[in-house]
Short mmCIF file of all heavy atoms in Angstrom, two decimals:
data_model
loop_
_atom_site.label_atom_id
_atom_site.label_comp_id
_atom_site.label_asym_id
_atom_site.label_seq_id
_atom_site.Cartn_x
_atom_site.Cartn_y
_atom_site.Cartn_z
N GLU B 1 1.18 -7.88 5.71
CA GLU B 1 1.34 -8.86 6.78
C GLU B 1 2.28 -8.30 7.83
O GLU B 1 3.36 -7.80 7.53
CB GLU B 1 1.89 -10.16 6.23
CG GLU B 1 0.90 -10.88 5.34
CD GLU B 1 1.41 -12.24 4.92
OE1 GLU B 1 2.59 -12.53 5.17
OE2 GLU B 1 0.63 -13.00 4.33
N VAL B 2 1.86 -8.38 9.08
CA VAL B 2 2.73 -8.01 10.18
C VAL B 2 2.93 -9.24 11.04
O VAL B 2 2.06 -10.11 11.13
CB VAL B 2 2.13 -6.88 11.04
CG1 VAL B 2 2.06 -5.61 10.25
CG2 VAL B 2 0.79 -7.26 11.58
N GLU B 3 4.05 -9.30 11.64
CA GLU B 3 4.39 -10.48 12.43
C GLU B 3 4.43 -10.10 13.90
O GLU B 3 5.10 -9.14 14.28
CB GLU B 3 5.75 -11.00 11.98
CG GLU B 3 5.91 -12.48 12.18
CD GLU B 3 7.18 -12.95 11.54
OE1 GLU B 3 8.25 -12.51 11.98
OE2 GLU B 3 7.11 -13.75 10.60
N GLU B 4 3.66 -10.77 14.69
CA GLU B 4 3.67 -10.56 16.12
C GLU B 4 4.11 -11.85 16.80
O GLU B 4 3.79 -12.94 16.34
CB GLU B 4 2.27 -10.17 16.62
CG GLU B 4 1.78 -8.85 16.06
CD GLU B 4 0.41 -8.52 16.59
OE1 GLU B 4 -0.11 -9.32 17.40
OE2 GLU B 4 -0.14 -7.48 16.20
N LYS B 5 4.80 -11.73 17.90
CA LYS B 5 5.26 -12.90 18.63
C LYS B 5 4.45 -13.08 19.89
O LYS B 5 4.27 -12.16 20.66
CB LYS B 5 6.76 -12.77 18.97
CG LYS B 5 7.64 -12.82 17.73
CD LYS B 5 9.10 -12.87 18.11
CE LYS B 5 9.98 -13.00 16.88
NZ LYS B 5 11.40 -13.06 17.23
N SER B 6 3.93 -14.25 20.05
CA SER B 6 3.16 -14.57 21.25
C SER B 6 3.67 -15.90 21.78
O SER B 6 3.56 -16.92 21.12
CB SER B 6 1.67 -14.68 20.91
OG SER B 6 0.93 -15.06 22.04
N GLY B 7 4.26 -15.84 23.00
CA GLY B 7 4.83 -17.06 23.57
C GLY B 7 5.98 -17.60 22.76
O GLY B 7 6.20 -18.80 22.70
N GLY B 8 6.72 -16.70 22.09
CA GLY B 8 7.88 -17.12 21.34
C GLY B 8 7.56 -17.57 19.94
O GLY B 8 8.46 -17.77 19.14
N ALA B 9 6.30 -17.76 19.59
CA ALA B 9 5.93 -18.23 18.26
C ALA B 9 5.37 -17.08 17.45
O ALA B 9 4.50 -16.35 17.92
CB ALA B 9 4.89 -19.34 18.36
N PRO B 10 5.87 -16.88 16.20
CA PRO B 10 5.36 -15.79 15.37
C PRO B 10 3.91 -16.03 14.98
O PRO B 10 3.52 -17.14 14.67
CB PRO B 10 6.28 -15.80 14.15
CG PRO B 10 6.79 -17.19 14.07
CD PRO B 10 6.90 -17.67 15.48
N ARG B 11 3.11 -14.98 15.00
CA ARG B 11 1.73 -15.08 14.57
C ARG B 11 1.50 -14.04 13.48
O ARG B 11 1.74 -12.87 13.65
CB ARG B 11 0.79 -14.79 15.75
CG ARG B 11 -0.69 -14.83 15.38
CD ARG B 11 -1.55 -14.84 16.63
NE ARG B 11 -1.32 -13.68 17.46
CZ ARG B 11 -1.98 -12.53 17.33
NH1 ARG B 11 -2.88 -12.39 16.39
NH2 ARG B 11 -1.71 -11.52 18.14
N ARG B 12 1.04 -14.52 12.32
CA ARG B 12 0.83 -13.63 11.18
C ARG B 12 -0.61 -13.12 11.18
O ARG B 12 -1.54 -13.89 11.38
CB ARG B 12 1.13 -14.36 9.87
CG ARG B 12 2.60 -14.65 9.68
CD ARG B 12 2.87 -15.22 8.30
NE ARG B 12 4.28 -15.42 8.07
CZ ARG B 12 5.11 -14.50 7.65
NH1 ARG B 12 4.67 -13.27 7.43
NH2 ARG B 12 6.38 -14.74 7.47
N GLN B 13 -0.73 -11.86 10.95
CA GLN B 13 -2.06 -11.27 10.88
C GLN B 13 -2.07 -10.30 9.71
O GLN B 13 -1.19 -9.47 9.56
CB GLN B 13 -2.39 -10.52 12.18
CG GLN B 13 -3.75 -9.85 12.15
CD GLN B 13 -3.97 -9.03 13.41
OE1 GLN B 13 -3.06 -8.87 14.20
NE2 GLN B 13 -5.17 -8.50 13.56
N LYS B 14 -3.08 -10.44 8.87
CA LYS B 14 -3.20 -9.55 7.71
C LYS B 14 -3.94 -8.28 8.11
O LYS B 14 -5.02 -8.33 8.66
CB LYS B 14 -3.94 -10.25 6.57
CG LYS B 14 -3.11 -11.33 5.90
CD LYS B 14 -3.81 -11.85 4.67
CE LYS B 14 -2.94 -12.85 3.94
NZ LYS B 14 -3.57 -13.34 2.71
N VAL B 15 -3.33 -7.15 7.83
CA VAL B 15 -3.97 -5.87 8.09
C VAL B 15 -3.88 -5.02 6.83
O VAL B 15 -3.06 -5.26 5.95
CB VAL B 15 -3.31 -5.13 9.28
CG1 VAL B 15 -3.45 -5.91 10.56
CG2 VAL B 15 -1.87 -4.82 8.97
N GLN B 16 -4.70 -4.01 6.75
CA GLN B 16 -4.73 -3.16 5.57
C GLN B 16 -3.47 -2.31 5.48
O GLN B 16 -3.00 -1.78 6.48
CB GLN B 16 -5.96 -2.27 5.61
CG GLN B 16 -6.39 -1.82 4.24
CD GLN B 16 -7.87 -1.53 4.18
OE1 GLN B 16 -8.41 -0.92 5.08
NE2 GLN B 16 -8.51 -1.98 3.14
N SER B 17 -2.94 -2.21 4.27
CA SER B 17 -1.71 -1.45 4.07
C SER B 17 -2.03 0.02 3.83
O SER B 17 -2.32 0.44 2.71
CB SER B 17 -0.92 -2.00 2.90
OG SER B 17 0.18 -1.16 2.63
N ALA B 18 -1.99 0.79 4.89
CA ALA B 18 -2.27 2.23 4.75
C ALA B 18 -1.19 2.92 3.92
O ALA B 18 -1.47 3.86 3.18
CB ALA B 18 -2.36 2.87 6.13
N GLN B 19 0.05 2.44 4.04
CA GLN B 19 1.14 3.08 3.34
C GLN B 19 0.96 3.01 1.83
O GLN B 19 1.08 4.01 1.11
CB GLN B 19 2.49 2.44 3.72
CG GLN B 19 3.69 3.07 3.05
CD GLN B 19 3.87 4.52 3.43
OE1 GLN B 19 3.98 4.85 4.59
NE2 GLN B 19 3.88 5.41 2.43
N ILE B 20 0.64 1.83 1.32
CA ILE B 20 0.48 1.67 -0.13
C ILE B 20 -0.74 2.45 -0.60
O ILE B 20 -0.71 3.11 -1.65
CB ILE B 20 0.38 0.18 -0.51
CG1 ILE B 20 1.69 -0.53 -0.16
CG2 ILE B 20 0.08 0.03 -1.99
CD1 ILE B 20 1.67 -2.03 -0.41
N ALA B 21 -1.82 2.38 0.16
CA ALA B 21 -3.03 3.11 -0.22
C ALA B 21 -2.75 4.61 -0.27
O ALA B 21 -3.19 5.32 -1.19
CB ALA B 21 -4.16 2.81 0.76
N THR B 22 -1.98 5.11 0.72
CA THR B 22 -1.65 6.53 0.75
C THR B 22 -0.80 6.91 -0.45
O THR B 22 -0.99 7.97 -1.06
CB THR B 22 -0.89 6.87 2.05
OG1 THR B 22 -1.72 6.54 3.17
CG2 THR B 22 -0.53 8.33 2.09
N ASP B 23 0.16 6.05 -0.81
CA ASP B 23 1.00 6.32 -1.97
C ASP B 23 0.16 6.41 -3.24
O ASP B 23 0.41 7.27 -4.11
CB ASP B 23 2.05 5.22 -2.13
CG ASP B 23 3.14 5.30 -1.07
OD1 ASP B 23 3.24 6.35 -0.41
OD2 ASP B 23 3.88 4.31 -0.90
N ILE B 24 -0.83 5.55 -3.35
CA ILE B 24 -1.68 5.57 -4.55
C ILE B 24 -2.53 6.83 -4.58
O ILE B 24 -2.71 7.46 -5.63
CB ILE B 24 -2.55 4.29 -4.61
CG1 ILE B 24 -1.65 3.09 -4.90
CG2 ILE B 24 -3.65 4.42 -5.67
CD1 ILE B 24 -2.34 1.77 -4.88
N LEU B 25 -3.06 7.24 -3.43
CA LEU B 25 -3.84 8.47 -3.37
C LEU B 25 -2.96 9.68 -3.73
O LEU B 25 -3.40 10.58 -4.45
CB LEU B 25 -4.44 8.66 -1.99
CG LEU B 25 -5.58 7.70 -1.62
CD1 LEU B 25 -5.95 7.86 -0.15
CD2 LEU B 25 -6.80 7.94 -2.51
N LYS B 26 -1.74 9.69 -3.24
CA LYS B 26 -0.82 10.77 -3.60
C LYS B 26 -0.53 10.76 -5.10
O LYS B 26 -0.42 11.81 -5.73
CB LYS B 26 0.49 10.64 -2.81
CG LYS B 26 0.37 10.98 -1.33
CD LYS B 26 1.71 10.79 -0.63
CE LYS B 26 1.62 11.12 0.85
NZ LYS B 26 2.92 10.87 1.53
N GLY B 27 -0.39 9.56 -5.66
CA GLY B 27 -0.17 9.44 -7.10
C GLY B 27 -1.34 9.99 -7.90
O GLY B 27 -1.16 10.68 -8.91
N LEU B 28 -2.56 9.69 -7.45
CA LEU B 28 -3.75 10.23 -8.13
C LEU B 28 -3.77 11.76 -8.04
O LEU B 28 -4.17 12.44 -8.98
CB LEU B 28 -5.02 9.65 -7.51
CG LEU B 28 -5.29 8.17 -7.80
CD1 LEU B 28 -6.48 7.69 -6.96
CD2 LEU B 28 -5.56 7.94 -9.28
N ALA B 29 -3.33 12.29 -6.91
CA ALA B 29 -3.27 13.75 -6.75
C ALA B 29 -2.20 14.34 -7.67
O ALA B 29 -2.43 15.37 -8.32
CB ALA B 29 -2.98 14.11 -5.30
N ASP B 30 -1.04 13.70 -7.74
CA ASP B 30 0.04 14.18 -8.61
C ASP B 30 -0.38 14.22 -10.06
O ASP B 30 0.02 15.12 -10.81
CB ASP B 30 1.28 13.29 -8.47
CG ASP B 30 1.97 13.43 -7.13
OD1 ASP B 30 1.74 14.44 -6.46
OD2 ASP B 30 2.71 12.50 -6.75
N LEU B 31 -1.17 13.23 -10.48
CA LEU B 31 -1.54 13.09 -11.89
C LEU B 31 -2.95 13.60 -12.16
O LEU B 31 -3.53 13.26 -13.19
CB LEU B 31 -1.42 11.61 -12.31
CG LEU B 31 -0.02 11.00 -12.15
CD1 LEU B 31 -0.04 9.51 -12.48
CD2 LEU B 31 0.99 11.72 -13.03
N SER B 32 -3.49 14.38 -11.23
CA SER B 32 -4.86 14.89 -11.40
C SER B 32 -4.95 15.76 -12.66
O SER B 32 -3.94 16.32 -13.10
CB SER B 32 -5.26 15.69 -10.16
OG SER B 32 -4.45 16.84 -10.04
N PRO B 33 -6.14 15.88 -13.28
CA PRO B 33 -7.42 15.45 -12.73
C PRO B 33 -7.71 13.95 -12.87
O PRO B 33 -8.54 13.43 -12.16
CB PRO B 33 -8.42 16.28 -13.54
CG PRO B 33 -7.74 16.51 -14.84
CD PRO B 33 -6.29 16.67 -14.52
N SER B 34 -7.07 13.25 -13.82
CA SER B 34 -7.30 11.81 -13.95
C SER B 34 -6.10 11.19 -14.66
O SER B 34 -5.32 11.89 -15.31
CB SER B 34 -8.59 11.53 -14.72
OG SER B 34 -8.49 11.98 -16.06
N THR B 35 -5.99 9.88 -14.55
CA THR B 35 -4.86 9.19 -15.17
C THR B 35 -5.22 7.75 -15.48
O THR B 35 -6.15 7.19 -14.91
CB THR B 35 -3.64 9.24 -14.23
OG1 THR B 35 -2.51 8.65 -14.89
CG2 THR B 35 -3.91 8.47 -12.94
N SER B 36 -4.47 7.17 -16.37
CA SER B 36 -4.66 5.75 -16.71
C SER B 36 -3.95 4.87 -15.69
O SER B 36 -3.07 5.33 -14.96
CB SER B 36 -4.12 5.46 -18.11
OG SER B 36 -2.70 5.63 -18.12
N LEU B 37 -4.34 3.62 -15.65
CA LEU B 37 -3.70 2.67 -14.74
C LEU B 37 -2.21 2.55 -15.05
O LEU B 37 -1.37 2.54 -14.13
CB LEU B 37 -4.38 1.30 -14.86
CG LEU B 37 -3.73 0.15 -14.08
CD1 LEU B 37 -3.73 0.45 -12.59
CD2 LEU B 37 -4.44 -1.16 -14.38
N SER B 38 -1.86 2.48 -16.32
CA SER B 38 -0.44 2.29 -16.68
C SER B 38 0.41 3.48 -16.26
O SER B 38 1.51 3.32 -15.74
CB SER B 38 -0.31 2.06 -18.19
OG SER B 38 -0.83 3.15 -18.92
N LYS B 39 -0.11 4.70 -16.46
CA LYS B 39 0.65 5.89 -16.06
C LYS B 39 0.79 5.99 -14.55
O LYS B 39 1.84 6.36 -14.03
CB LYS B 39 -0.02 7.15 -16.61
CG LYS B 39 0.16 7.35 -18.10
CD LYS B 39 -0.45 8.67 -18.56
CE LYS B 39 -0.21 8.88 -20.05
NZ LYS B 39 -0.82 10.14 -20.53
N LEU B 40 -0.28 5.62 -13.84
CA LEU B 40 -0.23 5.65 -12.38
C LEU B 40 0.78 4.63 -11.87
O LEU B 40 1.59 4.93 -10.97
CB LEU B 40 -1.61 5.37 -11.81
CG LEU B 40 -1.72 5.36 -10.28
CD1 LEU B 40 -1.29 6.69 -9.68
CD2 LEU B 40 -3.14 5.01 -9.85
N ALA B 41 0.77 3.43 -12.42
CA ALA B 41 1.71 2.39 -12.00
C ALA B 41 3.15 2.82 -12.29
O ALA B 41 4.04 2.62 -11.45
CB ALA B 41 1.38 1.09 -12.72
N GLN B 42 3.36 3.43 -13.46
CA GLN B 42 4.71 3.89 -13.80
C GLN B 42 5.15 4.99 -12.85
O GLN B 42 6.31 5.02 -12.40
CB GLN B 42 4.72 4.40 -15.24
CG GLN B 42 6.10 4.86 -15.72
CD GLN B 42 6.06 5.34 -17.16
OE1 GLN B 42 5.00 5.60 -17.72
NE2 GLN B 42 7.22 5.47 -17.78
N HIS B 43 4.25 5.90 -12.54
CA HIS B 43 4.55 7.01 -11.63
C HIS B 43 4.93 6.51 -10.24
O HIS B 43 5.83 7.06 -9.59
CB HIS B 43 3.33 7.94 -11.54
CG HIS B 43 3.50 9.10 -10.62
ND1 HIS B 43 4.27 10.20 -10.94
CD2 HIS B 43 3.00 9.34 -9.37
CE1 HIS B 43 4.23 11.07 -9.94
NE2 HIS B 43 3.47 10.58 -8.97
N LEU B 44 4.25 5.45 -9.80
CA LEU B 44 4.49 4.91 -8.46
C LEU B 44 5.62 3.89 -8.42
O LEU B 44 6.10 3.55 -7.33
CB LEU B 44 3.21 4.26 -7.94
CG LEU B 44 2.02 5.19 -7.71
CD1 LEU B 44 0.76 4.39 -7.45
CD2 LEU B 44 2.29 6.13 -6.54
#
């Protein structure tokens, strides 16, 4: 969620979290060739 202000009032808009997705992709690369969900979650 990012918050933008329009006319002084905050407006919430949901956008895709590239940062978290990138972190997960990096985690998959770190633990390649494959990993379990629990190990990936612990790693991240």
Side-chain angles (χ1 to χ4, degrees):
E1 291 186 351
V2 293
E3 208 172 64
E4 297 181 1
K5 292 187 177 181
S6 177
R11 178 168 59 88
R12 290 187 176 275
Q13 179 185 7
K14 288 188 175 182
V15 298
Q16 205 153 43
S17 173
Q19 181 63 57
I20 296 176
T22 301
D23 288 344
I24 290 175
L25 289 172
K26 288 179 180 177
L28 289 172
D30 290 340
L31 301 175
S32 65
S34 65
T35 184
S36 66
L37 174 62
S38 59
K39 286 184 178 179
L40 179 59
Q42 182 179 16
H43 179 75
L44 295 169

